[in-house]
Amino acid sequence: MPAHTKKGYHHGDLRSALITTAMGMLERGESFSIRAVAREAGVSATAPYRHFPERDALESALAAQGLRDLKEDLTRDRELPSTKEELAEFGAGYVEFALRRPALFRLMFGNECDYESEERVHAAAEVHELLASAITRVFPDADPIDLALGGWGLVHGMAYLYLDRKLATTSIEDVVAQVRSSFLAVLGAKPESDAR
C-alpha cells in the first residue's frame, strides 16, 4: 500500500480537516507546507490542492478562522460594551487573544489581507463591525470609524509590543490589567477602583 494511503480513511469535510491540521501545526510552531499538512492529515499529497491551490490560500483560510475565533472570544459570555470600563475589557480581550495564540495572531495580521478570499474578507468585516458597534454603544455621538480605528490601533499596538517583547510580560492577567488601564487612560476615564 502506498505511504500516502490510509486504510479505511474517510473525511466528511476534507477542507475543515486540513484547516484544523494546519492550525495545529502553526500553533505548535511547526513549519508547514500544503504537502506537510496533507501528510499530517493522512491524505495524499495532491488532495489539499482541490481546496488550496497554494499556501497563500491555506494561510487565508487560517486567518479567516482566526478572525472568527477572535470574534467568538470577544463576544463569549458578554454583551456589547455599554461603558468605558466594559470597552476597556473588550480591548483587553483582544490583547489576551494575541498572547494566547501568538502564531495565529501574527498570521492573521502579518500579511496584507487577501482580497481574493471572500471568506477572509467577510471574517475581517465581521470583526470590524463588532468593534464599530461596541464603540457606537459607548460613544453614540462620536464618529464610529475614527474611534474604532483609534481603539483598534491602541490594543493592536499593545498586542504587538507584548508579542515582540518590547514590554515585559509577567502574566497574561497582568498584561490584561495594564491594557485595561492604558485604554481607560486614553479614553480619559478613571478605573472604577480609582473613582471611589
Side-chain angles (χ1 to χ4, degrees), residues 88-111:
E89 289 294 331
F90 212 63
Y94 183 94
V95 176
E96 184 178 11
F97 178 90
L99 295 180
R100 276 190 301 102
R101 303 183 74 182
L104 176 60
F105 190 82
R106 287 186 189 279
L107 178 77
M108 290 160 57
F109 296 109
N111 302 325

Side-chain angles (χ1 to χ4, degrees), residues 19-158:
I19 291 171
T20 299
T21 300
M23 187 73 76
M25 294 175 76
L26 173 70
E27 294 195 320
R28 289 191 304 269
E30 298 173 19
S31 177
F32 69 90
S33 63
I34 292 181
R35 286 182 175 269
V37 170
R39 189 170 44 252
E40 179 87 6
V43 298
S44 75
T46 58
Y49 289 95
R50 284 178 260 153
H51 300 285
F52 306 109
E54 58 191 12
R55 181 185 163 115
D56 286 352
L58 178 57
E59 287 188 355
S60 279
L62 291 173
Q65 183 59 54
L67 289 160
R68 288 190 294 269
D69 291 351
L70 172 61
K71 180 183 175 188
E72 183 180 327
D73 269 25
L74 292 175
T75 57
R76 183 182 302 121
D77 300 327
R78 70 169 69 139
E79 299 291 321
L80 274 177
S82 58
T83 66
K84 290 178 182 177
E85 290 74 21
E86 290 172 355
L87 191 59
E89 289 294 331
F90 212 63
Y94 183 94
V95 176
E96 184 178 11
F97 178 90
L99 295 180
R100 276 190 301 102
R101 303 183 74 182
L104 176 60
F105 190 82
R106 287 186 189 279
L107 178 77
M108 290 160 57
F109 296 109
N111 302 325
E112 63 182 84
C113 187
D114 175 8
Y115 291 102
E116 300 296 313
S117 169
E118 287 183 31
E119 177 186 28
R120 186 172 181 175
V121 169
H122 179 73
E126 285 196 343
V127 170
H128 293 157
E129 287 169 19
L130 176 66
L131 297 176
S133 295
I135 291 286
T136 301
R137 276 193 78 186
V138 178
F139 298 100
D141 298 327
D143 181 320
I145 294 173
D146 286 346
L147 203 48
L149 187 58
W152 183 33
L154 171 65
V155 295
H156 191 76
M158 289 190 79

